[in-house]
Amino acid sequence: MFYAVLAYHVEDTVQSWTPDEDAALMKDLLEVNDRLTREGKLGPAARLGATANAVTLRGPGDGMVIDGPFAETKEQLLGLYVLDCANRDEALAAARDLKRVNPSAVYEIRPILLYRPGAALAAGPA
């Protein structure tokens, strides 16, 4: 089953890191990513751009474009991972590995439900 691991953080905190601090964190995160890739569990992963450059589309019809993400929360969604795991516990274990190297982040784990009849996703290597 595929799981989305959504990475939340206080955006101002992330933007306050020096290039060296950011690079050190990314090095640690990439070590987890590399292991998950070797295990055939990691699909697409992305660090999202600044929320200041985001828009939200909501409402009926064509919708209304609103500047920025529209969330009443301290943390913003700043990245995501797609994991191919046997069950939620396995996805949770992978998210805990990410949390160990990025302890101030918040990770949300959700099953991904595919709504594309006839279009199968290939599982990673065993």
Side-chain angles (χ1 to χ4, degrees):
M1 173 170 260
F2 292 95
Y3 289 87
V5 176
L6 307 174
Y8 292 86
H9 212 296
V10 177
E11 189 171 26
D12 289 341
T13 300
V14 172
Q15 292 176 345
S16 74
W17 295 336
T18 66
D20 287 344
E21 290 170 326
D22 188 61
L25 174 62
M26 291 308 296
K27 177 186 171 291
D28 291 342
L29 288 172
L30 288 172
E31 288 176 8
V32 176
N33 292 359
D34 289 345
R35 180 182 54 78
L36 292 170
T37 298
R38 285 190 307 275
E39 293 172 358
K41 294 179 185 170
L42 184 63
R47 186 182 228 185
L48 300 176
T51 58
N53 298 327
V55 296
T56 298
L57 180 64
R58 79 169 48 235
D62 287 341
M64 180 188 323
V65 177
I66 302 166
D67 287 341
F70 192 74
E72 298 293 328
T73 180
K74 184 176 178 181
E75 295 94 8
Q76 292 82 33
L77 176 63
L78 299 182
L80 62 100
Y81 299 84
V82 174
L83 300 178
D84 184 5
C85 296
N87 54 48
R88 188 182 75 152
D89 289 340
E90 194 173 283
L92 187 57
R96 282 191 171 120
D97 289 340
L98 295 167
K99 179 83 171 147
R100 272 190 273 284
V101 299
N102 193 3
S104 58
V106 174
Y107 292 95
E108 177 181 346
I109 296 89
R110 283 193 190 177
I112 295 175
L113 306 175
L114 300 174
Y115 293 104
R116 290 182 46 197
L121 285 177

